[in-house]
Amino acid sequence: MEALLEEHKKLARKSNLSKSLEDVQNSIDLLVQARESIAADPNCARVTLAKLQAPVKQSFEAVNSDLKEVYKGLGNYSKALDKKFKDKPLPSTDHDALSSHPALINRAVAMHLLREGQFSVASTFLTDATNRPPHSEPQLRTPNSNSNPEDDLGIDSLKSEALRKQFADMYHILHAMKYERNLLPAIDWARANSKLLETRGSNLEFELGKLQFVWLFTGGPNPIDPRSRSQNQQQALQYAQRDLVHFQGRYLKEMTQLSGAMAFSPNLSQSPYRRIFHNEGAWEDLANSFTREFCSLLGLSADSPLYIAATAGAIALPTLLKLQTIMKEKRTEWTTQHELPVEIPLPPAYHFHSIFVCPVSKEQTTDDNPPMMMPCGHVVAQESLMRLAKGSRFKCPYCPNESRPEDAKRLYM
Amino acid sequence: MAAELTTTKLNAESHLLLDQPLLRLPHELARKNFKIVQKNVERENKDILSALKTTANAAFTGNDSGQTLSSLDNMINRMQGLKRKMVTLHNEEMVLHQHSRRRIQHLQDLYEIPSLADVKYDEWSRVRLNRLLVDYLLRCGYGESARALAREKGIEELVDLDVFVQCHMVEESLRRGSTKECLAWCAEHKPMMKKTDNRLEFELRMQQYIELRRNGQVVEARQHARKYLTQHASTYPKEVNRAAGLLAYPPDTQVQEYNMLYSTARWDVLATLFVQTHHELFSLPARPLLHIALSAGLSALKTPSCHSKHASSTANASSTTTSVCPICSTELNELARKLPYAHHTKSYVENDPVVLPNGRVYGRDRLLEMSVKVGLDPGLVKDPTTSHVYPASDIRKVYIS
């Protein structure tokens, strides 16, 4: 990359039009001078004009040689670019499976913009996309007259409006939390979705309440003022009695800690409870877990799927490209269309589901060929199991245990 | 968990596959810019020198000084015109150089990021996504959205709004049935196009011819053909012959090959041909880069669980202990349906996997954590996916190899 940067510096510094501009100005000056002297003394016209020929020609030659310099510079930079990208061709798009779903891509883009809080861009995009639905792509010579079944955007305006409102709410709550230290909108939301959050095993509602208590306890909006300490504590206590009491069943331990902390109130920072009451990270953590819960309740992942997929794609591309080259060389095609032919290493954070690869057949299990656990606790794919058993008792490939196929239990990974 | 299944290694050199057009386009534009300068200089060079000679000769043969002066003025004017043009083009050139510079710098940043797990990589990759999105929006013809996004994200120097907006304007004019804009574009880019044997202009002239014939202007059509089509007879013999034949067939003809020429679908074909020519000229990939990145990414992430009839025990939306899988998320689920899933040679499961009576497999820690979080007695566990509660004694260890 440095070589390219260097080459470009050279291009920008040396091979630009400024010099040729000077030489054009020279020609102009020559012409203007000649004009002036002829205007002053019409009799010298012949001589002046005769004398003018060569210099003007020369100045044009100078312009041309300046341009040649620019041309050379551009050529050198071209070469540097070629060299840089020689072994990095654009992946072929012959089998672009996405082009036939423009509406689905548009939907993904719209949802991405909304979840990133780009509301104005999103609304411009929705208008654009509704006014000009994506074109299908006809081939030269075979005009494609059948209409595209995915003409509409995939999200009708009503639904996208609902989604927009959801995310607007989310950003409103996050904004209040992060910039105004105001947890009340978040607490209201959590209370309204209390049941759902509880089934998910989320303690968001309690965590919000707890932070609100801590915030009140440490002085609320004006934490520095020591005079109001007792008043603050009073407020916090009232809040706890009113709003935290019903958490006692699930969060008894944390509640005890909170009340225990009251005893240390004059110098909390030296108490064992310091971490609860002086934890700047708590706000950030809670904002993150709020975002996660909020998106999950909508059935969406916390980070934009479009971002994760595009990033994973960039990580995967070199491997896929290598594969493509090898396949072209060997003139083979991979036989299983439903599975990539090569393993693509991704960072651990990009693994979401558990994967089960049958140790016998080396295939990933699917709905049609699910993982089956034998009574000994070892697992193989159903097809492998059937092949091993041939309908009768068989030995586990991993241990001496014998069992029958009907003893095996289907697993859900 | 086998270490070789995952990597956080960032190889910047091979990571730049998607970024070639980022540097190519401003360079192609700079070359176009230069060609225009060259053409202008060439023309003025020739004209001024010959004008100068003529004036000198005229002065010898006794022209009066008034005429000499006026022809000199003429030359000065033309040179000043040239200079003005060159100043504009020089400014353009500086902007393009600045863009290239920024972009090289942006790619250079990637080389300084130690690993895929680094926060800086996350930032860089988000900028890349925004670039890809702008590219996608522009290719769809959503210029306003693209501009808004680029402005919002402050990446105007990393994207090429104007090129695409112009391209889209020409494309739309063709779809509306107008050849004027596209012919003007062809003329403007002629210096660059010669080397690639270009079909576009021929097809445009052909379309004009068809339109003349459609309107019954047979004489004009014939003239037009003589002027623009016959010269291509050696390159496109079949097409030129057919064009000649068209004179005998009225627009309502049932003969298929002529009927096809009259078809309005030809405009869409022309539009596609134009876009293709345009992208080739500027070294742009035929498809949006977002498609390339997404189809690779969707497959790399997709697992058989993502479109299964049964809810996956991992990465689902029903419990707080896992984050939702991006392929299962509404945005991408349908899009990924027809793509192949990732290849794995080893199982990848949570630590210490256990199975519940209903066959669901979880990492023991996650299962216990969930049960504590929902406030269950220590003797009970709750299935995070189905919400069933089981006695903890029903948990069985499962051996996944």
Side-chain angles (χ1 to χ4, degrees), chain B residues 1-203:
Chain B
M1 247 168 253
E4 66 268 31
L5 291 187
T6 64
T7 182
T8 55
K9 209 175 127 237
L10 171 60
N11 180 353
E13 198 61 36
S14 68
H15 206 75
L16 295 179
L17 278 174
L18 284 169
D19 302 303
Q20 183 168 175
L22 181 72
L23 298 186
R24 287 278 182 195
L25 189 56
H27 181 56
E28 292 300 333
L29 290 173
R31 278 169 34 134
K32 174 191 154 194
N33 208 45
F34 172 74
K35 290 237 162 95
I36 298 176
V37 175
Q38 206 179 24
K39 210 179 83 192
N40 276 306
V41 169
E42 215 170 276
R43 198 176 53 217
E44 298 304 319
N45 187 359
K46 213 174 103 222
D47 290 359
I48 296 283
L49 287 185
S50 83
L52 199 58
K53 209 170 230 164
T54 330
T55 318
N57 287 343
F60 268 107
T61 51
N63 242 346
D64 65 41
S65 61
Q67 258 166 331
T68 309
L69 283 181
S70 87
S71 57
L72 269 174
D73 282 341
N74 232 342
M75 285 179 241
I76 293 170
N77 273 341
R78 285 193 58 170
M79 284 305 281
Q80 263 156 354
L82 173 66
K83 194 188 162 193
R84 267 197 304 278
K85 252 182 233 158
M86 279 175 71
V87 168
T88 325
L89 289 164
H90 180 44
N91 289 339
E92 185 74 13
E93 181 191 47
M94 287 195 291
V95 171
L96 287 169
H97 281 170
Q98 168 75 5
H99 281 190
S100 283
R101 185 75 194 282
R102 272 290 153 80
R103 292 170 188 206
I104 297 174
Q105 198 62 56
H106 172 63
L107 296 187
Q108 173 67 32
D109 289 346
L110 184 69
Y111 284 75
E112 277 142 34
I113 296 170
S115 98
L116 293 173
D118 200 281
V119 205
K120 285 213 198 83
Y121 177 71
D122 193 62
E123 277 167 36
W124 196 89
S125 185
R126 275 181 201 280
V127 174
R128 172 175 55 201
L129 175 63
N130 289 325
R131 282 197 281 122
L132 298 183
L133 280 174
V134 172
D135 173 75
Y136 172 78
L137 294 172
L138 286 168
R139 281 162 185 271
C140 292
Y142 307 149
E144 276 313 302
S145 319
R147 201 175 294 279
L149 184 60
R151 196 172 40 226
E152 195 84 3
K153 297 290 182 185
I155 50 166
E156 279 114 325
E157 287 188 321
L158 301 179
V159 294
D160 300 281
L161 297 166
D162 298 338
V163 179
F164 280 100
V165 168
Q166 196 202 7
C167 169
H168 187 250
M169 250 158 51
V170 176
E171 185 194 343
E172 283 302 300
S173 72
L174 284 174
R175 287 189 201 278
R176 277 197 314 270
S178 157
T179 48
K180 205 178 89 204
E181 293 81 354
C182 194
L183 280 169
W185 184 88
C186 285
E188 189 191 341
H189 293 81
K190 203 153 201 172
M192 302 175 72
M193 289 207 301
K194 263 175 200 155
K195 54 188 173 191
T196 52
D197 173 33
N198 185 327
R199 176 173 197 102
L200 177 63
E201 195 171 348
F202 173 72
E203 292 284 350

Side-chain angles (χ1 to χ4, degrees), chain B residues 209-210 213 241-250 258-259 261-262:
Chain B
Y209 172 77
I210 295 168
R213 176 65 189 89
N241 270 342
R242 191 168 296 162
L246 192 69
L247 287 174
Y249 293 91
Y258 295 106
N259 186 3
L261 285 179
Y262 284 120

Side-chain angles (χ1 to χ4, degrees), chain A residues 264-275 277-278:
Chain A
F264 287 90
S265 74
N267 56 350
L268 263 175
S269 45
Q270 261 112 62
S271 78
Y273 301 104
R274 187 168 52 96
R275 284 168 56 94
F277 284 85
H278 296 274

Side-chain angles (χ1 to χ4, degrees), chain A residues 25 35 140 200 293 307 409, chain B residues 73 83 122 269 317 320 357:
Chain A
Q25 186 57 48
R35 192 209 176 272
L140 194 62
R200 285 176 45 75
E293 296 300 320
Y307 166 72
K409 184 180 178 65
Chain B
D73 282 341
K83 194 188 162 193
D122 193 62
V269 177
T320 187

Side-chain angles (χ1 to χ4, degrees), chain A residues 66 94 128 205 217 229 235 284 346 357 372 403:
Chain A
D66 298 336
D94 299 345
D128 266 353
E205 194 186 354
F217 194 86
R229 188 181 287 146
Q235 263 187 351
E284 197 58 41
L346 292 175
V357 178
M372 303 296 282
S403 65

Side-chain angles (χ1 to χ4, degrees), chain A residues 149-160:
Chain A
E150 286 178 33
D151 261 348
D152 60 318
L153 187 57
I155 14 169
D156 44 278
S157 52
L158 200 77
K159 217 169 126 198
S160 81

Side-chain angles (χ1 to χ4, degrees), chain A residues 1-2 4-5 8 12 16-18 20 25 27-28 35 46 49 53 60 64 67 70-71 74 77-78 82 84-85 88-91 93 96-99 104-107 111-112 115 118 125 128 132 135 137-138 140-141 198-201 250 293 300-301 303 305 307 309 311 313-314 317-318 320 337-340 342-343 345-347 350-357 359 364-367 373 375-379 398 409-413, chain B residues 5-7 13-14 16-17 20 23-24 27 34 45 52 56 59 68-69 73 79 83 86 90 93 97 100 104 107-108 111 121-122 125-126 128-129 133 136-137 141-142 145 152-153 168 172 175 199 203 239 269 272 285 287 291-293 296-297 301 303-304 308-310 312-315 317-320 324-326 328-332 335 339-349 355 357 359-361 370 373-374 382 396 398-399 401:
Chain A
M1 198 42 85
E2 268 106 4
L4 197 62
L5 191 62
H8 187 264
N16 63 44
L17 293 173
S18 59
S20 55
Q25 186 57 48
S27 321
I28 296 177
R35 192 209 176 272
R46 288 182 198 179
L49 282 173
Q53 305 283 334
F60 266 111
N64 279 328
L67 289 184
V70 181
Y71 182 75
L74 285 170
Y77 181 63
S78 276
D82 288 345
K84 181 85 207 162
F85 291 107
K88 294 187 263 300
L90 276 181
T93 46
D96 183 352
L98 300 184
S99 288
L104 286 177
I105 301 182
N106 273 355
R107 181 173 77 170
M111 287 179 77
H112 168 80
R115 70 149 65 227
Q118 300 284 334
F125 172 66
D128 266 353
R132 271 169 294 161
H135 293 293
E137 295 187 10
L140 194 62
R141 320 235 142 257
E198 203 179 318
T199 352
R200 285 176 45 75
R250 255 172 86 188
E293 296 300 320
L300 304 175
S301 60
D303 216 341
Y307 166 72
T311 308
L317 269 176
L320 290 175
Q337 284 292 333
H338 57 277
E339 185 172 347
L340 287 180
V342 58
E343 192 152 9
L346 292 175
Y350 287 73
H351 285 270
F352 292 89
H353 294 292
S354 288
I355 301 282
F356 180 70
V357 178
Q364 282 182 75
T365 49
T366 59
D367 275 6
M373 180 179 73
C376 53
H378 291 109
V379 189
Y398 276 84
K409 184 180 178 65
R410 189 200 191 297
L411 296 186
Y412 299 87
M413 307 297 285
Chain B
L5 291 187
T6 64
T7 182
E13 198 61 36
S14 68
L16 295 179
L17 278 174
Q20 183 168 175
L23 298 186
R24 287 278 182 195
H27 181 56
F34 172 74
N45 187 359
L52 199 58
T68 309
L69 283 181
D73 282 341
M79 284 305 281
K83 194 188 162 193
M86 279 175 71
H90 180 44
E93 181 191 47
H97 281 170
S100 283
I104 297 174
L107 296 187
Q108 173 67 32
Y111 284 75
Y121 177 71
D122 193 62
S125 185
R126 275 181 201 280
R128 172 175 55 201
L129 175 63
L133 280 174
Y136 172 78
L137 294 172
Y142 307 149
S145 319
E152 195 84 3
K153 297 290 182 185
H168 187 250
E172 283 302 300
R175 287 189 201 278
R199 176 173 197 102
E203 292 284 350
E239 287 80 356
V269 177
T272 313
R287 308 266 188 201
H291 285 194
I292 301 174
L301 292 168
T303 70
S308 164
K309 298 189 287 289
H310 311 280
S312 169
S313 300
T314 42
S318 54
S319 96
T320 187
V324 180
C325 158
C328 298
S329 196
T330 329
E331 287 100 322
L332 300 180
L335 204 53
L339 294 175
Y341 52 76
H343 179 71
H344 290 276
T345 50
K346 287 207 170 115
S347 298
Y348 189 97
V349 291
V355 61
R360 292 208 163 261
V361 179
M370 172 75 182
K373 274 190 172 166
V374 292
K382 181 176 168 183
R396 272 206 61 187
V398 58
Y399 301 97
S401 44

